[in-house]
mmCIF file of all heavy atoms in Angstrom:
data_model
loop_
_atom_site.group_PDB
_atom_site.id
_atom_site.type_symbol
_atom_site.label_atom_id
_atom_site.label_comp_id
_atom_site.label_asym_id
_atom_site.label_seq_id
_atom_site.Cartn_x
_atom_site.Cartn_y
_atom_site.Cartn_z
ATOM 1 N N PHE V 136 20.265 -32.398 -7.063
ATOM 2 C CA PHE V 136 19.299 -31.670 -6.243
ATOM 3 C C PHE V 136 18.555 -30.612 -7.058
ATOM 4 O O PHE V 136 17.403 -30.286 -6.765
ATOM 5 C CB PHE V 136 20.009 -30.974 -5.072
ATOM 6 C CG PHE V 136 20.523 -31.915 -4.022
ATOM 7 C CD1 PHE V 136 21.731 -31.668 -3.384
ATOM 8 C CD2 PHE V 136 19.814 -33.041 -3.656
ATOM 9 C CE1 PHE V 136 22.216 -32.527 -2.413
ATOM 10 C CE2 PHE V 136 20.284 -33.905 -2.687
ATOM 11 C CZ PHE V 136 21.492 -33.646 -2.063
ATOM 12 N N ARG V 137 19.223 -30.107 -8.065
ATOM 13 C CA ARG V 137 18.630 -29.021 -8.850
ATOM 14 C C ARG V 137 17.346 -29.442 -9.543
ATOM 15 O O ARG V 137 16.462 -28.615 -9.790
ATOM 16 C CB ARG V 137 19.648 -28.538 -9.892
ATOM 17 C CG ARG V 137 19.170 -27.353 -10.717
ATOM 18 C CD ARG V 137 20.187 -26.997 -11.781
ATOM 19 N NE ARG V 137 19.680 -25.969 -12.679
ATOM 20 C CZ ARG V 137 20.198 -25.674 -13.856
ATOM 21 N NH1 ARG V 137 21.250 -26.364 -14.290
ATOM 22 N NH2 ARG V 137 19.675 -24.741 -14.610
ATOM 23 N N PHE V 138 17.205 -30.723 -9.845
ATOM 24 C CA PHE V 138 16.030 -31.188 -10.582
ATOM 25 C C PHE V 138 14.980 -31.803 -9.654
ATOM 26 O O PHE V 138 14.168 -32.623 -10.091
ATOM 27 C CB PHE V 138 16.462 -32.162 -11.678
ATOM 28 C CG PHE V 138 17.186 -31.477 -12.800
ATOM 29 C CD1 PHE V 138 18.553 -31.274 -12.743
ATOM 30 C CD2 PHE V 138 16.486 -30.998 -13.895
ATOM 31 C CE1 PHE V 138 19.223 -30.615 -13.764
ATOM 32 C CE2 PHE V 138 17.140 -30.343 -14.924
ATOM 33 C CZ PHE V 138 18.515 -30.144 -14.857
ATOM 34 N N MET V 139 14.989 -31.393 -8.392
ATOM 35 C CA MET V 139 13.925 -31.772 -7.458
ATOM 36 C C MET V 139 13.070 -30.526 -7.235
ATOM 37 O O MET V 139 13.463 -29.625 -6.492
ATOM 38 C CB MET V 139 14.526 -32.292 -6.144
ATOM 39 C CG MET V 139 15.406 -33.510 -6.341
ATOM 40 S SD MET V 139 16.318 -34.014 -4.851
ATOM 41 C CE MET V 139 15.004 -34.664 -3.840
ATOM 42 N N PRO V 140 11.929 -30.409 -7.902
ATOM 43 C CA PRO V 140 11.152 -29.159 -7.871
ATOM 44 C C PRO V 140 10.720 -28.722 -6.474
ATOM 45 O O PRO V 140 10.608 -27.523 -6.208
ATOM 46 C CB PRO V 140 9.941 -29.474 -8.764
ATOM 47 C CG PRO V 140 9.889 -30.966 -8.854
ATOM 48 C CD PRO V 140 11.301 -31.441 -8.732
ATOM 49 N N GLU V 141 10.490 -29.682 -5.585
ATOM 50 C CA GLU V 141 10.071 -29.303 -4.231
ATOM 51 C C GLU V 141 11.179 -28.544 -3.503
ATOM 52 O O GLU V 141 10.909 -27.570 -2.784
ATOM 53 C CB GLU V 141 9.689 -30.559 -3.430
ATOM 54 C CG GLU V 141 8.476 -31.294 -3.966
ATOM 55 C CD GLU V 141 8.791 -32.210 -5.135
ATOM 56 O OE1 GLU V 141 9.991 -32.366 -5.469
ATOM 57 O OE2 GLU V 141 7.851 -32.786 -5.706
ATOM 58 N N LEU V 142 12.432 -28.970 -3.698
ATOM 59 C CA LEU V 142 13.563 -28.245 -3.107
ATOM 60 C C LEU V 142 13.713 -26.873 -3.763
ATOM 61 O O LEU V 142 13.978 -25.873 -3.089
ATOM 62 C CB LEU V 142 14.858 -29.044 -3.265
ATOM 63 C CG LEU V 142 15.058 -30.258 -2.361
ATOM 64 C CD1 LEU V 142 16.436 -30.863 -2.594
ATOM 65 C CD2 LEU V 142 14.896 -29.892 -0.892
ATOM 66 N N GLN V 143 13.559 -26.827 -5.080
ATOM 67 C CA GLN V 143 13.734 -25.566 -5.792
ATOM 68 C C GLN V 143 12.700 -24.530 -5.358
ATOM 69 O O GLN V 143 13.029 -23.353 -5.172
ATOM 70 C CB GLN V 143 13.645 -25.804 -7.302
ATOM 71 C CG GLN V 143 14.779 -26.640 -7.854
ATOM 72 C CD GLN V 143 16.135 -26.060 -7.531
ATOM 73 O OE1 GLN V 143 16.414 -24.895 -7.784
ATOM 74 N NE2 GLN V 143 16.994 -26.874 -6.954
ATOM 75 N N GLU V 144 11.469 -24.959 -5.194
ATOM 76 C CA GLU V 144 10.424 -24.034 -4.767
ATOM 77 C C GLU V 144 10.701 -23.505 -3.361
ATOM 78 O O GLU V 144 10.551 -22.306 -3.100
ATOM 79 C CB GLU V 144 9.057 -24.734 -4.803
ATOM 80 C CG GLU V 144 7.902 -23.834 -4.410
ATOM 81 C CD GLU V 144 6.565 -24.546 -4.450
ATOM 82 O OE1 GLU V 144 6.519 -25.709 -4.892
ATOM 83 O OE2 GLU V 144 5.552 -23.937 -4.052
ATOM 84 N N ALA V 145 11.118 -24.399 -2.478
ATOM 85 C CA ALA V 145 11.409 -23.974 -1.103
ATOM 86 C C ALA V 145 12.608 -23.036 -1.063
ATOM 87 O O ALA V 145 12.619 -22.054 -0.304
ATOM 88 C CB ALA V 145 11.658 -25.198 -0.222
ATOM 89 N N LEU V 146 13.635 -23.310 -1.863
ATOM 90 C CA LEU V 146 14.821 -22.448 -1.899
ATOM 91 C C LEU V 146 14.481 -21.075 -2.468
ATOM 92 O O LEU V 146 15.002 -20.051 -2.005
ATOM 93 C CB LEU V 146 15.923 -23.101 -2.737
ATOM 94 C CG LEU V 146 16.672 -24.263 -2.083
ATOM 95 C CD1 LEU V 146 17.515 -25.002 -3.112
ATOM 96 C CD2 LEU V 146 17.545 -23.770 -0.936
ATOM 97 N N ALA V 147 13.611 -21.033 -3.471
ATOM 98 C CA ALA V 147 13.233 -19.760 -4.075
ATOM 99 C C ALA V 147 12.492 -18.867 -3.084
ATOM 100 O O ALA V 147 12.576 -17.633 -3.160
ATOM 101 C CB ALA V 147 12.375 -20.002 -5.313
#
Side-chain angles (χ1 to χ4, degrees):
F136 290 143
R137 183 184 173 196
F138 289 87
M139 300 172 71
E141 295 81 6
L142 285 184
Q143 294 304 308
E144 182 180 354
L146 285 168

